[in-house]
Amino acid sequence: MRLVIRDNVDQVSEWTAKYITRRIKDFNPGPDKYFTLGLPTGSTSLGTYKKLIEFIQQGKLSFKYVKTFNMDEYVAIQRDHPGSSHSFMWHNFFKHIDIDPKNAHILDGNATDLIKECNDYEKKITDAGGIELFVGGIAPDGHIGFNEPGSSLASRTRIKILSKDLSIADTSVFEGNCPKQALTVGIQTVMDAREVMILITGAHKAYALHKVIEEGVNHMWTVSAFQQHPQTIFICDEDATLELKVKTVKYFKGLMERYNQLIEEKCEY
Ligand code: GLP
């Protein structure tokens, strides 16, 4: 496991965008070889999308041969509702870049057969050759996608009933009319990716970061599952380290020079 610690949110976004860029460029995608990228929604990812848009618009990166798969979508919410993942991804990322819309996959929460939609999504990922890099966010209770506390660590894409906590958290965008269900990739779906990258920023997520990296694997903190993934990068800002042991922070800061080579070698910005 790697833990990249940056000073603030902007630096986390920049480092993450550079890392994604570097991975795509090194992969050297083309018409017969697409790079598959798993993507999150949520405010933490906004800065990364902004940076990626910048690189793409400056001609330093292209999503022409990239296929994306998003984590989750609410059930029975119109695509153009401001709270939907479709809306979030279109307005904050896809409409600004050169991705072919047919390569940008998001679960359809309005499908007539939701179970089939979930199973088909897993198949689409497999048919695309599996996910090369899955980028995710984390909620203060340590969940990813909609794999809330207690979710099976062996889970795959499925329907989830949302907890009261989560519905309350989303009250503003849904004006009190919060969705009760969502479709989400499972923990095992993310585990199957060749590499996993988790973004954690802010003091309100410090306890979650402590639970998921300093304590054992536990389905009550579902992101902790990625301790067992052979290629995981957690990237956080200083505020998110507040609950970590000084020893942990010092250890990983000592590796920053090496980690920075991961984004600097070969990449031209
Ligand atoms: C929701 C989403 C997650 C996201 C999390 C954190 O629960 N389903 O995928 O990681 O919120 O969101 P934010 O980045 O806004 O804190």
Side-chain angles (χ1 to χ4, degrees):
M1 180 199 85
R2 290 172 167 147
L3 175 66
V4 172
I5 304 172
R6 310 305 296 134
D7 290 348
N8 52 47
V9 178
D10 287 349
Q11 285 186 19
V12 167
S13 302
E14 182 163 5
W15 204 98
T16 306
K18 284 186 174 178
Y19 188 78
I20 295 170
T21 302
R22 168 81 203 281
R23 287 285 277 104
I24 295 173
K25 286 183 139 183
D26 285 358
F27 187 87
N28 197 18
D32 301 321
K33 191 183 153 208
Y34 278 73
F35 186 92
T36 46
L37 181 65
L39 292 174
T41 51
S43 54
T44 315
S45 56
L46 282 172
T48 300
Y49 290 135
K50 232 172 137 186
K51 270 279 157 206
L52 286 173
I53 292 167
E54 232 176 87
F55 295 158
I56 293 164
Q57 291 182 349
Q58 291 164 355
K60 294 170 179 166
L61 171 69
S62 169
F63 265 55
K64 191 163 178 213
Y65 299 118
V66 175
K67 290 184 183 177
T68 61
F69 287 87
N70 263 84
M71 289 253 169
D72 47 33
E73 179 57 288
Y74 291 107
V75 168
I77 292 293
Q78 290 308 309
R79 273 178 188 220
D80 58 359
H81 188 287
S84 77
S85 292
H86 278 84
S87 219
F88 179 97
M89 291 307 298
W90 176 251
H91 291 295
N92 293 308
F93 196 38
F94 296 144
K95 79 172 180 191
H96 305 285
I97 65 167
D98 61 346
I99 193 166
D100 183 337
K102 77 171 187 320
N103 291 327
H105 303 273
I106 304 183
L107 283 152
D108 179 3
N110 292 299
T112 38
D113 185 342
L114 292 174
I115 295 176
K116 182 174 182 304
E117 172 65 15
C118 294
N119 294 338
D120 287 354
Y121 202 67
E122 287 277 337
K123 186 166 183 311
K124 278 183 210 162
I125 293 175
T126 309
D127 291 349
I131 289 175
E132 201 55 38
L133 173 64
F134 218 131
V135 181
I138 182 177
D141 65 3
H143 82 249
I144 183 168
F146 282 115
N147 297 283
E148 294 191 83
S151 293
S152 164
L153 301 185
S155 53
R156 295 203 163 273
T157 307
R158 66 211 186 289
I159 310 167
K160 286 289 285 177
I161 295 170
L162 301 177
S163 69
K164 212 173 154 200
D165 285 1
L166 201 73
S167 304
I168 289 166
D170 284 340
T171 298
S172 52
V173 67
F174 292 109
E175 291 163 358
N177 206 3
C178 301
K180 304 280 183 291
Q181 290 184 317
L183 306 184
T184 181
V185 296
I187 296 297
Q188 190 59 48
T189 317
V190 182
M191 280 294 277
D192 285 350
R194 245 86 68 197
E195 186 170 12
V196 178
M197 189 173 196
I198 307 291
L199 280 49
I200 311 118
T201 59
H204 63 304
K205 294 189 179 169
Y207 191 63
L209 181 60
H210 155 67
K211 291 297 282 189
V212 304
I213 71 163
E214 289 189 318
E215 293 203 348
V217 173
N218 186 327
H219 63 179
M220 297 311 285
W221 297 85
T222 54
V223 172
S224 65
F226 305 121
Q227 289 177 23
Q228 293 195 320
H229 192 286
Q231 281 292 89
T232 303
I233 299 186
F234 287 92
I235 174 159
C236 69
D237 63 356
E238 280 286 345
D239 286 350
T241 67
L242 289 175
E243 299 282 351
L244 297 182
K245 291 191 179 80
V246 173
K247 189 177 174 181
T248 305
V249 174
K250 284 198 168 168
Y251 173 75
F252 286 105
K253 280 196 170 171
L255 292 169
M256 263 326 289
E257 204 176 318
R258 168 73 195 112
Y259 291 162
N260 280 334
Q261 288 169 6
L262 298 173
I263 57 168
E264 279 154 18
E265 283 165 17
K266 295 186 218 164
C267 254
E268 306 128 30
Y269 293 98

